[in-house]
Coordinates of all heavy atoms in Angstrom, one line a residue:
M1 N 0.8 -1.2 0.0 CA -0.1 0.1 0.0 C 0.8 1.3 0.0 O 0.6 2.2 -0.6 CB -0.9 0.0 1.2 CG -1.8 1.2 1.3 SD -3.4 0.7 1.9 CE -4.1 2.4 2.0
R2 N 2.0 1.2 0.8 CA 2.9 2.4 0.8 C 3.4 2.7 -0.6 O 3.6 3.8 -1.0 CB 4.0 2.2 1.8 CG 4.9 3.4 1.9 CD 5.9 3.2 3.0 NE 7.0 4.1 3.0 CZ 6.9 5.3 3.5 NH1 5.9 5.7 4.1 NH2 8.0 6.1 3.5
T3 N 3.7 1.6 -1.4 CA 4.3 1.8 -2.7 C 3.3 2.4 -3.6 O 3.7 3.3 -4.3 CB 4.7 0.4 -3.2 OG1 5.6 -0.2 -2.3 CG2 5.3 0.5 -4.6
A4 N 2.0 2.1 -3.5 CA 1.0 2.7 -4.2 C 0.8 4.2 -3.9 O 0.7 5.1 -4.7 CB -0.4 2.0 -4.1
L5 N 1.0 4.5 -2.6 CA 0.8 5.9 -2.2 C 2.0 6.7 -2.7 O 1.8 7.8 -3.2 CB 0.8 5.9 -0.6 CG 0.8 7.3 0.0 CD1 -0.5 8.0 -0.4 CD2 0.8 7.3 1.5
V6 N 3.2 6.2 -2.7 CA 4.3 6.9 -3.1 C 4.2 7.0 -4.7 O 4.5 8.2 -5.2 CB 5.7 6.1 -2.8 CG1 6.8 6.7 -3.6 CG2 5.9 6.1 -1.3
A7 N 3.7 6.1 -5.4 CA 3.5 6.2 -6.8 C 2.6 7.3 -7.1 O 2.7 8.1 -8.1 CB 3.0 4.9 -7.4
M8 N 1.5 7.4 -6.3 CA 0.4 8.4 -6.6 C 1.0 9.9 -6.3 O 0.7 10.8 -6.9 CB -0.8 8.2 -5.7 CG -1.6 7.0 -6.1 SD -3.0 6.6 -5.1 CE -3.3 8.0 -4.0
M9 N 1.9 9.9 -5.2 CA 2.5 11.2 -4.9 C 3.5 11.6 -6.0 O 3.7 12.8 -6.2 CB 3.2 11.1 -3.5 CG 2.2 10.9 -2.4 SD 3.0 10.6 -0.8 CE 3.8 12.2 -0.6
M10 N 4.1 10.8 -6.6 CA 5.2 11.0 -7.6 C 4.6 11.4 -9.0 O 5.2 12.0 -9.8 CB 6.1 9.8 -7.8 CG 6.9 9.5 -6.5 SD 7.8 10.9 -5.9 CE 8.8 11.3 -7.4
A11 N 3.4 11.0 -9.3 CA 2.8 11.3 -10.5 C 2.8 12.8 -10.9 O 3.2 13.1 -12.0 CB 1.3 10.8 -10.5
P12 N 2.5 13.8 -10.1 CA 2.7 15.2 -10.5 C 4.1 15.5 -10.8 O 4.4 16.4 -11.6 CB 2.2 15.9 -9.3 CG 1.3 15.0 -8.5 CD 1.9 13.6 -8.8
L13 N 5.1 14.9 -10.1 CA 6.4 15.3 -10.4 C 7.0 14.8 -11.7 O 7.9 15.3 -12.2 CB 7.3 14.7 -9.3 CG 7.0 15.2 -7.8 CD1 8.0 14.6 -6.8 CD2 7.3 16.7 -7.7
A14 N 6.3 13.8 -12.3 CA 6.7 13.2 -13.6 C 6.7 14.3 -14.6 O 7.4 14.3 -15.6 CB 5.9 12.1 -13.9
A15 N 5.8 15.3 -14.5 CA 5.7 16.4 -15.5 C 7.0 17.2 -15.5 O 7.3 17.8 -16.5 CB 4.5 17.3 -15.1
C16 N 7.8 17.2 -14.4 CA 9.0 17.9 -14.4 C 10.2 17.1 -14.7 O 11.3 17.7 -14.9 CB 9.3 18.6 -13.0 SG 8.0 19.8 -12.6
A17 N 10.1 15.8 -14.9 CA 11.3 14.9 -15.2 C 11.6 15.0 -16.6 O 10.8 15.2 -17.5 CB 11.0 13.6 -14.7
T18 N 12.8 14.7 -17.0 CA 13.1 14.6 -18.4 C 12.6 13.3 -18.9 O 12.5 12.3 -18.1 CB 14.7 14.7 -18.6 OG1 15.3 13.7 -17.8 CG2 15.2 16.1 -18.3
T19 N 12.4 13.2 -20.2 CA 12.1 11.9 -20.8 C 13.2 11.1 -21.1 O 14.4 11.6 -21.2 CB 11.1 12.2 -22.0 OG1 11.9 12.9 -23.0 CG2 9.9 13.1 -21.8
S20 N 13.0 9.8 -21.5 CA 14.1 9.0 -22.0 C 14.8 9.5 -23.1 O 15.9 9.2 -23.4 CB 13.6 7.6 -22.1 OG 12.6 7.5 -23.1
G21 N 14.1 10.3 -24.0 CA 14.7 10.8 -25.2 C 15.5 12.0 -24.9 O 16.0 12.6 -25.9
G22 N 15.6 12.5 -23.7 CA 16.3 13.7 -23.4 C 15.6 15.0 -23.6 O 16.2 16.0 -23.7
E23 N 14.3 14.9 -23.9 CA 13.6 16.1 -24.3 C 13.3 17.0 -22.9 O 13.2 16.4 -21.9 CB 12.2 15.7 -24.8 CG 12.3 14.9 -26.1 CD 10.9 14.3 -26.4 OE1 10.0 14.7 -25.8 OE2 11.0 13.5 -27.3
A24 N 13.3 18.2 -23.1 CA 13.1 19.1 -21.9 C 11.6 19.0 -21.6 O 10.7 18.8 -22.4 CB 13.4 20.5 -22.3
P25 N 11.3 19.2 -20.2 CA 9.9 19.3 -19.9 C 9.2 20.5 -20.4 O 9.9 21.4 -20.9 CB 10.0 19.3 -18.3 CG 11.4 19.8 -18.0 CD 12.3 19.4 -19.2
A26 N 7.9 20.4 -20.3 CA 7.1 21.6 -20.9 C 7.6 22.9 -20.3 O 7.6 23.9 -21.1 CB 5.6 21.3 -20.7
A27 N 7.8 23.0 -19.1 CA 8.1 24.3 -18.4 C 9.6 24.4 -18.4 O 10.2 24.2 -17.4 CB 7.5 24.5 -17.1
N28 N 10.3 24.7 -19.5 CA 11.7 24.7 -19.5 C 12.2 26.2 -19.5 O 11.4 27.2 -19.7 CB 12.3 24.0 -20.6 CG 11.9 24.6 -22.0 OD1 11.2 25.4 -22.1 ND2 12.7 24.1 -23.1
A29 N 13.4 26.4 -19.2 CA 13.9 27.7 -19.1 C 15.1 27.9 -20.1 O 15.6 26.8 -20.6 CB 14.5 28.0 -17.6
E30 N 15.5 29.1 -20.3 CA 16.7 29.3 -21.3 C 17.9 29.7 -20.5 O 17.9 30.2 -19.4 CB 16.2 30.5 -22.2 CG 15.0 30.1 -23.0 CD 14.7 31.3 -23.9 OE1 15.3 32.3 -23.9 OE2 13.6 31.1 -24.5
G31 N 19.1 29.3 -21.1 CA 20.4 29.7 -20.6 C 21.0 28.6 -19.7 O 20.4 27.6 -19.6
P32 N 22.2 28.9 -19.3 CA 22.9 27.9 -18.5 C 22.3 27.7 -17.1 O 21.8 28.7 -16.5 CB 24.3 28.5 -18.4 CG 24.2 30.0 -18.4 CD 23.0 30.1 -19.4
C33 N 22.5 26.6 -16.5 CA 22.0 26.3 -15.2 C 22.8 27.0 -14.1 O 24.1 27.1 -14.2 CB 22.1 24.8 -15.0 SG 21.3 24.3 -13.4
R34 N 22.1 27.6 -13.2 CA 22.7 28.4 -12.1 C 22.3 27.7 -10.7 O 21.1 27.6 -10.5 CB 22.4 29.8 -12.1 CG 23.0 30.4 -13.4 CD 22.6 31.9 -13.5 NE 21.1 32.2 -13.3 CZ 20.1 32.0 -14.2 NH1 20.4 31.6 -15.4 NH2 18.9 32.3 -14.0
N35 N 23.2 27.4 -9.8 CA 22.9 26.9 -8.5 C 22.3 27.8 -7.6 O 21.4 27.6 -6.7 CB 24.1 26.2 -7.8 CG 24.5 24.9 -8.5 OD1 23.7 24.1 -8.8 ND2 25.8 24.7 -8.7
E36 N 22.8 29.0 -7.5 CA 22.5 30.1 -6.4 C 21.0 30.3 -6.3 O 20.5 30.3 -5.3 CB 23.2 31.4 -6.7 CG 24.7 31.3 -6.7 CD 25.3 30.8 -8.0 OE1 24.7 30.9 -9.1 OE2 26.4 30.2 -7.9
P37 N 20.3 30.5 -7.5 CA 18.8 30.8 -7.3 C 18.0 29.7 -6.8 O 16.9 29.9 -6.3 CB 18.4 31.1 -8.8 CG 19.7 31.4 -9.4 CD 20.7 30.6 -8.8
V38 N 18.4 28.4 -6.8 CA 17.6 27.3 -6.3 C 17.9 27.0 -4.9 O 17.3 26.1 -4.3 CB 17.7 26.1 -7.2 CG1 17.0 26.4 -8.6 CG2 19.1 25.6 -7.4
A39 N 19.0 27.5 -4.2 CA 19.3 27.2 -2.9 C 18.1 27.5 -1.9 O 17.9 26.7 -0.9 CB 20.5 28.0 -2.4
S40 N 17.4 28.4 -2.2 CA 16.2 28.9 -1.3 C 15.1 27.8 -1.4 O 14.2 27.8 -0.5 CB 15.8 30.2 -1.7 OG 15.2 30.2 -3.0
F41 N 15.1 26.9 -2.3 CA 14.0 25.9 -2.4 C 14.3 24.7 -1.4 O 13.3 23.9 -1.3 CB 13.9 25.4 -3.9 CG 13.3 26.4 -4.7 CD1 14.0 27.2 -5.6 CD2 12.0 26.5 -4.9 CE1 13.5 28.2 -6.4 CE2 11.3 27.5 -5.7 CZ 12.1 28.3 -6.5
V42 N 15.5 24.5 -1.0 CA 15.8 23.4 -0.1 C 15.0 23.6 1.2 O 14.9 24.7 1.7 CB 17.3 23.3 0.3 CG1 17.7 22.3 1.3 CG2 18.1 23.1 -1.0
G43 N 14.3 22.5 1.6 CA 13.4 22.6 2.8 C 12.0 22.7 2.4 O 11.1 22.6 3.2
Q44 N 11.6 23.1 1.1 CA 10.3 23.2 0.7 C 9.8 21.8 0.2 O 10.5 20.9 -0.1 CB 10.2 24.2 -0.5 CG 10.5 25.6 -0.1 CD 10.2 26.5 -1.3 OE1 9.4 26.3 -2.1 NE2 11.0 27.7 -1.2
K45 N 8.5 21.6 0.2 CA 7.9 20.5 -0.4 C 8.1 20.3 -1.8 O 8.0 21.3 -2.6 CB 6.3 20.5 -0.1 CG 6.0 20.1 1.3 CD 6.1 18.6 1.6 CE 5.5 18.4 2.9 NZ 5.5 16.9 3.2
A46 N 8.5 19.1 -2.3 CA 8.6 18.8 -3.8 C 7.2 18.7 -4.4 O 6.4 17.9 -3.9 CB 9.4 17.5 -3.9
S47 N 7.0 19.4 -5.5 CA 5.7 19.3 -6.2 C 6.1 19.7 -7.7 O 7.1 20.3 -8.0 CB 4.7 20.3 -5.6 OG 5.1 21.6 -5.8
A48 N 5.1 19.5 -8.5 CA 5.3 19.9 -9.9 C 5.4 21.5 -10.0 O 6.2 21.9 -10.7 CB 4.1 19.4 -10.7
E49 N 4.7 22.2 -9.2 CA 4.7 23.7 -9.2 C 6.2 24.1 -8.7 O 6.7 25.0 -9.3 CB 3.6 24.2 -8.3 CG 2.2 24.0 -8.9 CD 1.7 22.6 -8.5 OE1 2.2 21.9 -7.6 OE2 0.8 22.2 -9.4
T50 N 6.6 23.5 -7.7 CA 8.0 23.8 -7.1 C 9.0 23.6 -8.2 O 9.9 24.3 -8.3 CB 8.3 23.1 -5.8 OG1 7.2 23.4 -4.8 CG2 9.5 23.5 -5.2
G51 N 8.9 22.4 -8.8 CA 9.9 22.0 -9.8 C 9.9 23.0 -11.0 O 11.0 23.4 -11.4
A52 N 8.7 23.4 -11.4 CA 8.7 24.4 -12.5 C 9.3 25.7 -12.1 O 10.0 26.3 -12.9 CB 7.2 24.6 -13.0
A53 N 9.1 26.1 -10.9 CA 9.8 27.3 -10.4 C 11.2 27.2 -10.3 O 12.0 28.2 -10.6 CB 9.1 27.7 -9.0
M54 N 11.7 26.0 -9.9 CA 13.1 25.8 -9.7 C 13.8 25.8 -11.1 O 14.9 26.3 -11.3 CB 13.4 24.5 -9.0 CG 13.0 24.6 -7.6 SD 13.2 22.9 -6.7 CE 15.0 22.9 -6.4
L55 N 13.2 25.2 -12.0 CA 13.6 25.1 -13.4 C 13.8 26.5 -14.0 O 14.8 26.8 -14.6 CB 12.7 24.3 -14.2 CG 13.2 23.8 -15.6 CD1 14.5 22.9 -15.5 CD2 12.1 23.1 -16.4
K56 N 12.8 27.3 -13.8 CA 12.8 28.6 -14.3 C 13.9 29.5 -13.6 O 14.6 30.2 -14.3 CB 11.4 29.3 -14.1 CG 11.4 30.7 -14.7 CD 10.0 31.3 -14.6 CE 9.9 32.7 -15.1 NZ 8.7 33.3 -15.1
A57 N 14.0 29.4 -12.3 CA 14.9 30.1 -11.5 C 16.4 29.7 -11.9 O 17.3 30.6 -11.9 CB 14.7 29.9 -10.0
S58 N 16.6 28.5 -12.1 CA 18.0 28.0 -12.4 C 18.4 28.3 -13.8 O 19.7 28.4 -14.0 CB 18.1 26.5 -12.1 OG 17.4 25.8 -13.0
G59 N 17.5 28.5 -14.6 CA 17.9 28.6 -16.1 C 18.3 27.2 -16.7 O 18.7 27.2 -17.9
A60 N 18.0 26.2 -16.1 CA 18.3 24.8 -16.6 C 17.4 24.5 -17.7 O 16.2 25.0 -17.8 CB 18.2 23.8 -15.5
K61 N 17.8 23.7 -18.7 CA 17.0 23.2 -19.8 C 16.2 22.0 -19.4 O 15.1 21.7 -20.0 CB 17.8 23.0 -21.0 CG 18.4 24.3 -21.5 CD 19.2 24.1 -22.8 CE 19.7 25.5 -23.1 NZ 20.3 25.6 -24.3
T62 N 16.8 21.2 -18.5 CA 16.1 19.9 -18.1 C 16.2 19.8 -16.6 O 17.0 20.4 -16.0 CB 16.7 18.6 -18.8 OG1 18.1 18.6 -18.5 CG2 16.6 18.7 -20.3
M63 N 15.5 18.8 -16.1 CA 15.4 18.7 -14.7 C 15.2 17.2 -14.3 O 14.6 16.5 -15.2 CB 14.3 19.4 -14.0 CG 14.1 19.3 -12.6 SD 12.7 20.3 -12.1 CE 13.0 20.4 -10.3
R64 N 15.8 16.7 -13.2 CA 15.5 15.3 -12.7 C 15.4 15.3 -11.3 O 16.0 16.1 -10.6 CB 16.6 14.3 -13.2 CG 18.0 14.4 -12.6 CD 18.8 13.3 -13.0 NE 20.2 13.6 -12.4 CZ 21.2 12.9 -12.6 NH1 21.1 11.6 -13.1 NH2 22.4 13.2 -12.1
W65 N 14.4 14.5 -10.8 CA 14.1 14.4 -9.4 C 14.8 13.1 -8.9 O 14.8 12.0 -9.6 CB 12.6 14.2 -9.2 CG 11.8 15.4 -9.5 CD1 11.2 15.8 -10.7 CD2 11.6 16.5 -8.6 NE1 10.5 16.9 -10.6 CE2 10.8 17.5 -9.3 CE3 12.0 16.8 -7.4 CZ2 10.3 18.7 -8.7 CZ3 11.6 18.0 -6.7 CH2 10.8 18.9 -7.5
G66 N 15.2 13.1 -7.7 CA 16.0 12.0 -7.0 C 15.3 11.7 -5.8 O 15.4 12.5 -4.8
G67 N 14.5 10.6 -5.6 CA 13.9 10.3 -4.4 C 14.7 9.4 -3.5 O 15.9 9.0 -3.9
P68 N 14.3 9.1 -2.3 CA 15.1 8.5 -1.3 C 15.4 7.1 -1.8 O 14.5 6.2 -2.3 CB 14.2 8.3 0.0 CG 12.8 8.8 -0.5 CD 13.0 9.5 -1.8
G69 N 16.6 6.7 -1.8 CA 17.1 5.4 -2.4 C 17.1 5.2 -3.8 O 17.4 4.1 -4.3
M70 N 16.9 6.2 -4.6 CA 16.8 6.1 -6.0 C 18.2 6.1 -6.5 O 19.1 7.0 -6.2 CB 16.1 7.4 -6.6 CG 14.9 7.0 -7.3 SD 14.1 8.6 -7.8 CE 14.0 8.4 -9.5
A71 N 18.5 5.3 -7.5 CA 19.8 5.3 -8.2 C 19.8 6.3 -9.3 O 18.7 6.4 -10.0 CB 20.0 3.9 -8.8
M72 N 20.9 7.0 -9.4 CA 21.0 8.1 -10.5 C 22.4 7.9 -11.2 O 23.3 7.6 -10.5 CB 20.8 9.4 -10.0 CG 19.5 9.9 -9.7 SD 19.3 11.6 -9.6 CE 19.3 11.8 -7.8
T73 N 22.4 8.2 -12.4 CA 23.7 8.2 -13.1 C 24.5 9.4 -12.6 O 24.0 10.4 -12.1 CB 23.5 8.3 -14.6 OG1 22.8 9.6 -14.9 CG2 22.6 7.2 -15.2
M74 N 25.8 9.3 -12.7 CA 26.7 10.3 -12.3 C 27.2 11.2 -13.5 O 28.1 12.0 -13.2 CB 27.9 9.7 -11.6 CG 27.6 8.9 -10.4 SD 26.8 9.8 -9.1 CE 28.2 10.8 -8.6
D75 N 26.6 11.0 -14.6 CA 27.0 11.9 -15.7 C 26.7 13.3 -15.4 O 25.7 13.7 -14.8 CB 26.3 11.4 -17.0 CG 24.9 11.6 -17.0 OD1 24.3 11.3 -15.9 OD2 24.3 11.9 -18.0
F76 N 27.6 14.2 -15.9 CA 27.5 15.7 -15.6 C 26.9 16.2 -16.9 O 27.4 16.1 -17.9 CB 28.9 16.2 -15.3 CG 28.7 17.7 -15.0 CD1 28.3 18.2 -13.8 CD2 29.0 18.7 -16.0 CE1 28.2 19.4 -13.5 CE2 28.9 20.0 -15.7 CZ 28.5 20.4 -14.5
R77 N 25.8 17.0 -16.7 CA 25.2 17.7 -17.7 C 25.0 19.2 -17.2 O 24.1 19.4 -16.4 CB 23.9 17.1 -18.2 CG 24.0 15.7 -18.8 CD 22.8 15.3 -19.3 NE 22.9 13.9 -19.8 CZ 22.0 13.2 -20.3 NH1 20.8 13.6 -20.4 NH2 22.2 12.0 -20.7
P78 N 25.7 20.1 -17.7 CA 25.7 21.5 -17.2 C 24.3 22.2 -17.4 O 24.0 23.2 -16.7 CB 26.8 22.2 -18.0 CG 27.1 21.4 -19.1 CD 26.8 20.0 -18.8
E79 N 23.5 21.7 -18.3 CA 22.2 22.3 -18.5 C 21.1 21.7 -17.7 O 19.9 22.1 -17.8 CB 21.8 22.2 -20.1 CG 21.4 20.9 -20.5 CD 22.6 19.8 -20.7 OE1 23.8 20.2 -20.7 OE2 22.2 18.7 -21.0
R80 N 21.4 20.7 -16.9 CA 20.4 20.0 -16.1 C 20.4 20.3 -14.6 O 21.5 20.5 -14.1 CB 20.7 18.4 -16.2 CG 19.7 17.6 -15.4 CD 19.9 16.1 -15.6 NE 21.3 15.8 -15.2 CZ 21.9 14.6 -15.5 NH1 21.4 13.8 -16.3 NH2 23.2 14.4 -15.1
L81 N 19.2 20.4 -14.1 CA 19.1 20.7 -12.6 C 18.7 19.3 -11.9 O 17.8 18.6 -12.4 CB 18.0 21.6 -12.3 CG 17.7 22.0 -10.9 CD1 18.9 22.6 -10.2 CD2 16.4 22.8 -10.8
T82 N 19.4 18.9 -10.9 CA 19.1 17.7 -10.2 C 18.6 18.0 -8.9 O 19.3 18.8 -8.1 CB 20.3 16.8 -10.1 OG1 20.8 16.4 -11.4 CG2 20.0 15.5 -9.3
V83 N 17.4 17.5 -8.4 CA 16.7 17.9 -7.2 C 16.5 16.6 -6.4 O 15.9 15.6 -7.0 CB 15.4 18.6 -7.4 CG1 14.8 19.0 -6.2 CG2 15.6 19.9 -8.3
A84 N 16.9 16.5 -5.2 CA 16.7 15.4 -4.3 C 15.7 15.7 -3.2 O 15.6 16.9 -2.9 CB 18.0 14.9 -3.7
Y85 N 14.9 14.7 -2.9 CA 13.9 14.9 -1.8 C 13.9 13.7 -0.9 O 14.3 12.6 -1.2 CB 12.5 15.2 -2.4 CG 12.1 14.1 -3.3 CD1 11.3 13.0 -2.8 CD2 12.3 14.2 -4.7 CE1 10.8 12.1 -3.6 CE2 11.9 13.1 -5.5 CZ 11.1 12.1 -5.0 OH 10.7 11.1 -5.8
D86 N 13.4 13.9 0.3 CA 13.3 12.8 1.3 C 11.9 12.1 1.3 O 11.1 12.4 0.5 CB 13.7 13.2 2.7 CG 12.8 14.3 3.2 OD1 11.6 14.5 2.8 OD2 13.2 14.9 4.2
E87 N 11.8 11.1 2.3 CA 10.6 10.4 2.4 C 9.3 11.3 2.7 O 8.1 11.0 2.3 CB 10.6 9.4 3.5 CG 11.6 8.3 3.3 CD 13.1 8.6 3.7 OE1 13.3 9.8 4.2 OE2 14.0 7.9 3.4
A88 N 9.5 12.5 3.2 CA 8.4 13.4 3.5 C 8.2 14.3 2.3 O 7.4 15.3 2.4 CB 8.7 14.1 4.6
M89 N 8.8 14.1 1.2 CA 8.8 14.9 -0.1 C 9.3 16.3 0.1 O 8.9 17.3 -0.5 CB 7.3 15.0 -0.5 CG 6.7 13.7 -0.9 SD 7.4 12.9 -2.3 CE 7.0 14.0 -3.6
V90 N 10.3 16.5 1.1 CA 10.9 17.7 1.3 C 12.3 17.8 0.5 O 13.0 16.8 0.6 CB 11.3 17.9 2.9 CG1 12.0 19.1 3.0 CG2 9.9 18.0 3.6
I91 N 12.5 18.8 -0.2 CA 13.7 18.9 -1.0 C 14.9 19.0 -0.1 O 15.0 19.9 0.8 CB 13.5 20.1 -1.9 CG1 12.4 19.9 -2.9 CG2 14.9 20.4 -2.7 CD1 12.0 21.2 -3.7
T92 N 15.8 18.1 -0.3 CA 17.1 18.1 0.5 C 18.3 18.7 -0.2 O 19.3 19.1 0.4 CB 17.5 16.7 0.9 OG1 17.6 15.9 -0.3 CG2 16.3 16.1 1.7
S93 N 18.3 18.7 -1.6 CA 19.4 19.4 -2.3 C 18.9 19.7 -3.7 O 18.0 19.1 -4.3 CB 20.6 18.5 -2.4 OG 20.4 17.4 -3.2
A94 N 19.6 20.7 -4.3 CA 19.3 21.1 -5.8 C 20.6 21.6 -6.3 O 21.2 22.5 -5.6 CB 18.3 22.2 -5.8
R95 N 21.1 21.0 -7.4 CA 22.4 21.4 -8.0 C 22.3 21.2 -9.5 O 21.6 20.4 -10.0 CB 23.5 20.6 -7.4 CG 23.4 19.1 -7.7 CD 24.5 18.4 -7.0 NE 24.5 17.0 -7.4 CZ 23.6 16.1 -7.1 NH1 22.6 16.4 -6.3 NH2 23.6 14.8 -7.6
C96 N 23.1 22.0 -10.2 CA 23.3 21.8 -11.6 C 24.2 20.6 -11.9 O 25.0 20.3 -11.1 CB 23.7 23.1 -12.2 SG 22.7 24.5 -12.0
G97 N 23.9 20.0 -13.0 CA 24.8 18.8 -13.4 C 24.2 17.6 -13.5 O 23.6 16.9 -13.9

């Protein structure tokens, strides 16, 4: 049941994730990714709206979410914003790359 609940909570965040084809999400921003503008989002609840605001503030072209225990590749992409969140859906870090 917990797995189903987590899946339901993650559905809105899928709108902010990059697709397997590397396409940018609908709410994309222009320019190089910047870390400084997204530092203030750490501690906020992860949501599609928060993700769109972070994408715009950072200037990143793509974004990926990392949940608790999720495996992520270590490849560096300067145009991508990577956002991690905990079990309570609270953003724990946001960085370009």
